[in-house]
Amino acid sequence: MSALTLFDKVWDFHTVGTLPSGQTQLFIGLHLIHEVTSPQAFAMLRERGLDVLFPERTVATVDHIVPTENQARPFADVLAEEMMQSLEKSCKDYGIRFYNVGSGNQGIVHVIAPEQGLTQPGMTVACGDSHTSTHGAFGAIAFGIGTSQVRDVLASQTLALSKLKVRKIEVNGKLPPGVYAKDVILHIIRILGVKGGVGYAYEFAGTTFEQMSMEERMTVCNMSIEGGARCGYINPDSVTFEYLKGRDFAPKGEDWDKAVEWWTSIRSEEDAVYDDVITFDATEIAPTVTWGITPGQGIAVDEAIPTTDTLPESEKAIAIEAYSYMHLTPGAPIQGTKVDVCFIGSCTNGRISDLREAAKFAQGKRIAQGVKAFVVPGSERVKQQAEAEGLDKIFVDAGFEWREAGCSMCLAMNPDKLQGSQLSASSSNRNFKGRQGSSTGRTLLMSPAMVVAAAIKGEVADVRELMLQEAVL
Amino acid sequence: MSSEVKAVTGRGIPLIGNDIDTDRIIPARFLRCVTFDGLGEQAFADDRTQTKGEHPFDQPQYQGANILVVNGNFGCGSSREHAPQALSKWGIQAIVGESFAEIFFGNCVVMGIPCVTASAEIVGQLQTILKNNPQTSITLDLDAMQVHCGDTLAPVFMGEGSRQTLMTGTWDSCGQLIAQIDQVQATARQLPYMDWATRVA
Ligand code: SF4
């Protein structure tokens, strides 16, 4: 059993008591809600005549269904409009802070909470969305929950949970050029598998994560859930504090000093005990691309699609399913695979640093003919910042569309969708069958820089080659 | 407030394959709704279209089945409770599998749907029995922690906490949680950040 880790400390701080079932009743410091998983929760509250216990600890926004082109109300999609109105009404009825479209603060829930300083070290965070693990980048314990649990948090500010085990994933060393946070997490999931993390919280430790910016850390923690781990976190350090300082909800003045002291004290101890420890070497990680229908089906961009005889027994059936769904040939190189759509955005890679990195590669280039490419900022603030830096212009000049903030084609609950069996190079987090809005649509996950490389060549390309060409020019 | 779930008996429906994710159980376009009603018909919508009537959820021999038998990492992906809600509205009352994704499992339990695990070998046996003789009666006994189907009588597993909530009828956690409001307030008062937050707002 783990001891003295950040997970253990934060868990203990938030423990209200033990329920008769033996589960822990855990206090939730920050509750985030959006339009998809909360309407039914509010309906359950109303049905039972319950109130929201700590309305000031819940923050709402809209992201999944928001169109990224025409945002005029009422939305063209009547169902989407109904969901909007439902959330607007509930927030008003219960006195919940709501960042609506056009407020200047709207965006993907996992982008806006960090950028406003709502997410802080040592907090427990819950949201009716599996990528809540993102907030672990701050040294918070952040859980994705279902709708009945959203109801529980609204009504009691607590959840009934069983404690997780803690696995330390240590990555050391400097990432080679062209290799990003996204590649690190895709690599980890490739090796540990999509169910490797079930029952665990992942603590990401080691010099590679220490050298990462907060936004890179968020990319890593965001995809913990794709590896089966309900939450992932990184111990808070000076990078975390630097990022938080001055943000809207960050503590100020004397409180700031007390906060830093507390945040430092909750770090995992030197002699912490873990249920498991796994180590990776950063220099061995390459730009990674998925070829299949789970985020664990990834390979280095210069590798071939694995044949079944190279796969462990347990991976064979899903590989065969993937070859046929993806129309890809085992043994063939992934590089050179034609792409139809290129998508940059999502809570994994829709932050300002992602757009800056993508723009570097798009600058002065032109996307290949026949490719549809678009950039969707993760929030209204990201959009505004990108425009202030002229990134929108770089993208548009290169042939990308520049959109409004939202989840967009990450899961296509809005007008942004793949058509038929189109193949997309996507900076998002899931390549499940039908994920991007067409039941035969195909998704290849990769870093934003790799998406730009694919857009320019019209096929899966190695961003390192693009870097070499740049250096020669 | 919720009822005790000690055993589920009925007929089984086998669904073969690892890593069946929540996007497949209920595709995202059906999440455009403000109630869970009507999700039953949309369970596995895309898989069913693609298999043209050959999906177990469409096959006549499995209509009316209430125990789903699945393989590994079932329910991975999104936190959408729409997934277990869709299964439940279709008629599923219990799931036996090799393993479950964490959030999916929690969502099921809080709805009163037991998800128990069994060895790959046992799951395979159950799936074969249900394939060959769909009418075979199947019982999941949470008291004895056993599954019984045809000639197979085998142990099943589930975290003790979750099992207790089902057995004692306390799986609907809400009532228990709000009963502790005083302790909740006390815990909140001890958290340093509660203080900073009120000063900021
Ligand atoms: S961007 Fe994608 S993964 Fe993130 S919250 Fe939106 S839909 Fe979910």
Side-chain angles (χ1 to χ4, degrees), chain A residues 175-369:
Chain A
L175 291 173
V179 179
Y180 298 92
K182 179 67 159 285
D183 302 302
V184 175
I185 189 66
L186 283 174
H187 181 80
I188 291 173
I189 299 168
R190 172 191 180 180
I191 305 295
L192 301 183
V194 287
K195 45 183 173 281
V198 173
Y200 285 96
Y202 278 173
E203 174 176 310
F204 298 103
T207 56
T208 311
F209 300 116
E210 284 163 17
Q211 286 156 16
M212 282 186 186
S213 70
M214 281 316 291
E215 298 198 347
E216 292 173 296
R217 293 177 186 187
M218 284 186 243
T219 301
V220 172
C221 292
N222 174 275
M223 288 190 70
S224 311
I225 187 70
E226 307 312 330
R230 196 168 185 180
C231 57
Y233 67 88
I234 293 174
N235 281 300
D237 60 9
S238 56
V239 176
T240 322
F241 309 152
E242 233 5 83
Y243 177 95
L244 275 167
K245 197 155 196 182
R247 302 222 169 228
D248 311 51
F249 290 89
K252 309 266 171 350
E254 264 178 53
D255 286 340
W256 173 261
D257 299 326
K258 277 194 227 153
V260 171
E261 200 180 313
W262 188 62
W263 294 339
T264 309
S265 76
I266 55 157
R267 288 172 52 90
S268 295
E269 302 290 328
E270 286 289 338
D271 54 352
V273 182
Y274 296 89
D275 296 284
D276 193 24
V277 179
I278 293 176
T279 311
F280 291 92
D281 181 349
T283 59
E284 284 168 11
I285 303 175
T288 301
V289 187
T290 63
W291 58 270
I293 52 173
T294 81
Q297 291 175 316
I299 47 175
V301 63
D302 50 10
E303 275 181 78
I305 297 163
T307 51
T308 43
D309 53 311
T310 62
L311 293 170
E313 206 48 52
S314 59
E315 297 296 319
K316 284 184 182 162
I318 188 94
I320 292 166
E321 201 176 335
Y323 302 141
S324 104
Y325 183 85
M326 297 298 290
H327 308 304
L328 292 175
T329 316
I334 192 78
Q335 216 170 323
T337 306
K338 288 261 169 292
V339 302
D340 305 299
V341 178
C342 291
F343 167 61
I344 296 176
S346 87
C347 59
T348 314
N349 284 122
R351 297 186 177 78
I352 187 68
S353 57
D354 298 310
L355 304 196
R356 283 184 190 134
E357 195 61 29
K360 262 200 232 162
F361 290 96
Q363 176 128 43
K365 295 281 190 339
R366 193 69 211 163
I367 62 169
Q369 246 193 338

Side-chain angles (χ1 to χ4, degrees), chain A residues 94-165:
Chain A
Y94 292 102
I96 291 167
R97 190 186 302 267
F98 177 41
Y99 295 122
N100 207 341
V101 174
S103 63
N105 293 319
Q106 173 266 345
I108 306 171
V109 65
H110 312 306
V111 176
I112 68 158
E115 78 186 0
Q116 297 183 24
L118 282 161
T119 307
Q120 294 172 14
M123 272 185 180
T124 44
V125 183
C127 173
D129 192 286
S130 58
H131 292 99
T132 307
S133 57
T134 311
H135 306 267
F138 290 81
I141 299 303
F143 294 106
I145 56 176
T147 296
S148 296
Q149 292 174 308
V150 171
R151 168 205 65 198
D152 289 356
V153 179
L154 289 169
S156 73
Q157 204 60 36
T158 60
L159 284 170
L161 292 169
S162 300
K163 199 175 173 190
L164 297 168
K165 291 184 280 186

Side-chain angles (χ1 to χ4, degrees), chain B residues 15-73:
Chain B
L15 185 64
I16 293 165
N18 288 327
D19 305 315
I20 293 181
D21 59 71
T22 50
D23 277 81
R24 284 172 67 184
I25 300 173
I26 185 85
R29 62 182 180 281
F30 300 119
L31 271 48
R32 286 153 53 250
C33 56
V34 294
T35 78
F36 290 130
D37 305 339
L39 289 177
E41 288 115 74
Q42 294 148 351
F44 293 108
D46 291 341
D47 284 5
R48 286 161 79 173
T49 311
Q50 272 154 27
T51 47
K52 302 187 177 65
E54 293 303 304
H55 193 278
F57 274 58
D58 281 328
Q59 290 174 319
Q61 64 269 38
Y62 297 119
Q63 301 309 307
N66 58 348
I67 300 183
L68 182 64
V69 183
V70 298
N71 299 100
N73 202 28

Side-chain angles (χ1 to χ4, degrees), chain A residues 14 48 77 148 152 199 255, chain B residues 32 81 102 172-173 193 199:
Chain A
H14 292 81
R48 298 177 188 207
D77 177 347
S148 296
D152 289 356
D255 286 340
Chain B
R32 286 153 53 250
E81 191 170 305
E102 201 107 21
D172 182 337
S173 38
Y193 61 79
R199 263 178 254 174

Side-chain angles (χ1 to χ4, degrees), chain A residues 70-114:
Chain A
N70 181 0
Q71 297 191 321
R73 296 286 297 275
F75 291 158
D77 177 347
V78 290
L79 293 173
E81 178 61 29
E82 191 186 348
M83 294 169 82
M84 282 292 285
Q85 289 181 10
S86 165
L87 185 60
E88 284 164 343
K89 176 171 185 329
S90 293
C91 288
K92 204 156 153 252
D93 288 356
Y94 292 102
I96 291 167
R97 190 186 302 267
F98 177 41
Y99 295 122
N100 207 341
V101 174
S103 63
N105 293 319
Q106 173 266 345
I108 306 171
V109 65
H110 312 306
V111 176
I112 68 158

